[in-house]
Amino acid sequence: MKIDVISIFPEYLSPLKLSLLGKAQSSGLLEIEVHDLRALSTDNHNTVDDTPYGGGAGMVMLPEVWGKTLDPLMSENTDLIILTPAGRRFTQKTAEEFSTANHLVFACGRYEGIDDRVRQYYSTQEFKNRNIRVHEISIGDYVLGGGEVASMVMIEAITRLIPGVLGNPESLSEESHKFEGYLEYPNFTKPQEWRGISVPEILLSGNHAEIAKWRSQQAEKRAKDNL
Ligand code: 6GU
């Protein structure tokens, strides 16, 4: 999978080089490229935003600099993801859908967002014919300063579903088959007793059927408590 991320703060995305994502890139499973939006700004001040038509608070990101940056990245079979708190909610299901994608481009907006004509332009028939889709996505009901952290959340959730990226593929199939990716039971390891608190007896019993039953009850209880 190829991933491009565009931001006015490319250093903000440096964690993408670390850990499992770093390994997946050195092994060639994944290629992540971060682009500085200001690299293609046209004036001396590297302006990327201006006041909104119609008035109101804040600044809007200029379509021209986004167009110049996105045009060379829009290859055949690409999903363009515009990060915005007004977008469709990102879930485990969305992560699964994007995990089989060929090429993801993340457009990280700042300020009050990107001029809507950028979304409109890359949604036209010309781009549909080239197998290019545009998505506006939010990671939850709260407002962040920009799309950078949201893009990293999505990239981590999506890429760990790519075969070979996660260290232990067992943990993936347990998640998806038993708990549909979001419910989990509580886990314990050594020692058997820690600060006066013991590991639940059932987990030491060796009775795998009973352990599975207990775990699914616990997962269900957690899901209810979190409502
Ligand atoms: Cl994708 N962007 C911003 N700025 N805030 C958010 C978000 C995205 N998702 C939730 N809040």
Side-chain angles (χ1 to χ4, degrees):
M1 183 188 286
K2 171 75 199 290
I3 298 178
D4 288 293
V5 188
I6 305 154
S7 164
I8 56 167
F9 298 125
E11 319 86 83
Y12 217 119
L13 295 142
S14 49
L16 293 174
K17 298 185 191 112
L18 305 176
S19 186
L20 289 176
L21 277 182
K23 285 203 192 91
Q25 287 171 84
S26 0
S27 77
L29 273 172
L30 198 64
E31 189 189 344
I32 305 181
E33 212 176 319
V34 178
H35 306 263
D36 184 356
L37 184 73
R38 289 197 204 272
L40 295 180
S41 60
T42 40
D43 67 323
N44 314 349
H45 296 102
N46 287 152
T47 309
V48 293
D49 61 333
D50 208 330
T51 53
Y53 278 117
M59 300 291 268
V60 178
M61 295 187 104
L62 298 164
E64 184 56 20
V65 66
W66 274 105
K68 279 195 172 138
T69 306
L70 287 169
D71 280 342
L73 299 178
M74 288 297 129
S75 50
E76 184 88 8
N77 195 7
T78 291
D79 288 276
L80 169 61
I81 295 163
I82 300 174
L83 282 319
T84 161
R88 181 166 57 92
R89 174 75 68 84
F90 181 65
T91 65
Q92 187 64 27
K93 184 157 178 283
T94 333
E96 279 164 21
E97 285 162 10
F98 284 132
S99 72
T100 58
N102 167 61
H103 179 206
L104 301 177
V105 177
F106 290 89
C108 302
R110 284 259 149 191
Y111 317 109
E112 302 309 305
I114 303 170
D115 187 308
D116 191 57
R117 288 170 293 183
V118 173
R119 176 192 62 79
Q120 293 177 36
Y121 176 77
Y122 294 104
S123 304
T124 53
Q125 194 61 46
E126 177 196 344
F127 289 95
K128 286 197 179 84
N129 292 343
R130 290 165 52 195
N131 215 353
I132 290 165
R133 296 156 293 276
V134 182
H135 316 265
E136 285 189 297
I137 295 192
S138 156
I139 61 162
D141 283 341
Y142 37 79
V143 179
L144 303 168
E148 284 78 7
V149 171
S151 76
M152 287 193 281
V153 165
M154 288 187 63
I155 290 168
E156 187 161 317
I158 292 165
T159 55
R160 66 186 286 285
L161 301 175
I162 299 172
V165 171
L166 196 74
N168 173 17
E170 258 277 288
S171 40
L172 265 191
S173 58
E174 281 219 353
E175 252 175 38
S176 53
H177 296 143
K178 292 189 189 157
F179 304 108
E180 294 170 331
Y182 45 89
L183 308 177
E184 266 276 30
Y185 49 79
N187 283 295
F188 303 88
T189 183
K190 275 73 142 180
Q192 235 184 82
E193 188 187 310
W194 178 74
R195 298 190 181 178
I197 308 169
S198 293
V199 171
E201 202 68 46
I202 183 79
L203 299 177
L204 312 174
S205 70
N207 186 334
H208 297 296
E210 283 302 312
I211 290 171
K213 200 168 110 194
W214 180 85
R215 282 177 166 169
S216 90
Q217 285 165 352
Q218 290 290 312
E220 207 173 299
K221 182 179 178 312
R222 264 193 180 178
K224 265 200 204 120
D225 291 349
N226 287 334
L227 282 182

